[in-house]
Amino acid sequence: MTMEYVSQPGETVPPVPDGPKLCDGDEMRILHNAFLWGYEEAPGLVRGAPAGDVARSEFVGQWLADLDATLHTHHESEDELLWDKLEQRAPACALHVGQMRAQHVQVAELLEEASPLLARWRATADPAVGEQLADAYERMLDVLKVHLRREVVEVVPVAERVVTEEEWSAMGDHSVDAIPKSRLLPQLGMLLANSTPEERKRFYAEIPLSVKVLWRLVGKRQYAKQFSQLFPGRPVPPTI
């Protein structure tokens, strides 16, 4: 899912502090597009699993659990490493940061609601439980459509002026360190697939050489296999 990152009627943006850009927040669009795509697909994946097909519900459920965990980790990184800095260094952005914090709470509540439903559905492939889970993911997407768009439009431009490249990179490192290595490469594929060709090239250029080698050797095949199992019959989206 590709989001149009623009303000909607009635929304305001905080003033961007003067001075040069200290960091580059462009990759946030790629990450957000991947989350939006994942949660757009989630309800259909759940509802599409045949009743009682535990093998399918377990496979899909593991993918969804990984998606949920990655979203939680991403928000945790911002909560711990970004919001306080913005409030202190760009006080005019404090209201918008407060809105971001509140939306994170909404997402956390929906993740908490979905977690036991996901566990039950993975174990049983019960359509009734699956319907409750699909509904939770639909409400999650509704929140994320607002939150992820407004974060890019309202917060990232300010962060680029007051957060250093080292501090910005620390958020990404915090997230990556919390993700099990077994799911890093398939999720890299999801990021590459949910970006424009130009964004993809820029993003890939910044990846460490060791990760590029692993992607070429095994990651691209892992991602393609996972996608084909999740969405039988669909062409695998281009990556790199």
Side-chain angles (χ1 to χ4, degrees):
M1 180 179 185
T2 301
M3 170 70 71
E4 186 179 7
Y5 291 100
V6 296
S7 294
Q8 298 297 317
E11 296 174 354
T12 60
V13 297
V16 176
D18 295 331
K21 286 177 65 171
L22 304 179
C23 67
D24 186 350
D26 281 349
E27 78 276 4
M28 196 68 83
R29 291 177 176 82
I30 296 174
L31 181 58
H32 286 188
N33 283 341
F35 282 132
L36 290 167
W37 173 81
Y39 285 105
E40 185 178 45
E41 296 287 357
L45 284 169
V46 173
R47 292 182 175 124
D53 188 345
V54 177
R56 178 64 179 175
S57 66
E58 171 57 27
F59 179 76
V60 171
Q62 182 61 63
W63 185 80
L64 292 170
D66 290 346
L67 180 68
D68 290 348
T70 303
L71 176 62
H72 170 74
T73 298
H74 171 61
H75 280 184
E76 182 181 68
S77 298
E78 293 175 335
D79 291 340
E80 294 183 7
L81 300 173
L82 180 61
W83 303 141
D84 287 348
K85 292 182 178 69
L86 287 179
E87 288 175 328
Q88 294 163 8
R89 300 173 189 177
C93 190
L95 176 63
H96 295 80
V97 170
Q99 292 171 337
M100 297 296 106
R101 291 184 190 272
Q103 288 163 359
H104 276 200
V105 170
Q106 287 181 280
V107 171
E109 290 172 346
L110 286 164
L111 287 172
E112 186 174 352
E113 177 184 343
S115 180
L117 293 171
L118 179 58
R120 287 167 55 197
W121 181 74
R122 288 175 69 172
T124 64
D126 183 338
V129 177
E131 185 56 38
Q132 295 177 63
L133 178 62
D135 176 72
Y137 282 135
E138 286 176 337
R139 286 181 280 123
M140 178 87 72
L141 180 61
D142 287 341
V143 175
L144 291 176
K145 282 180 178 178
V146 176
H147 170 65
L148 299 180
R149 176 181 54 79
R150 295 192 69 176
E151 184 174 284
V152 167
V153 173
E154 299 169 11
V155 173
V156 170
V158 176
E160 289 178 326
R161 293 303 196 281
V162 300
V163 175
T164 67
E165 186 64 44
E166 181 179 5
E167 291 169 333
W168 186 262
S169 296
M171 285 198 302
D173 293 341
H174 178 274
S175 295
V176 169
D177 289 345
I179 297 174
K181 299 299 183 285
S182 61
R183 74 171 192 256
L184 274 176
L185 292 174
Q187 290 194 349
L188 172 59
M190 191 167 74
L191 293 174
L192 294 170
N194 284 280
S195 56
T196 66
E198 294 76 17
E199 290 172 334
R200 192 177 302 144
K201 290 177 183 177
R202 290 199 304 271
F203 182 76
Y204 188 76
E206 299 298 322
I207 295 173
L209 178 59
S210 59
V211 178
K212 290 178 183 176
V213 171
L214 285 172
W215 170 253
R216 295 288 190 181
L217 289 176
V218 297
K220 190 170 184 176
R221 289 196 302 273
Q222 287 179 352
Y223 169 72
K225 179 180 178 181
Q226 182 188 71
F227 185 93
S228 295
Q229 289 176 304
L230 285 168
F231 308 104
R234 279 201 212 175
V236 177
T239 53
I240 201 164

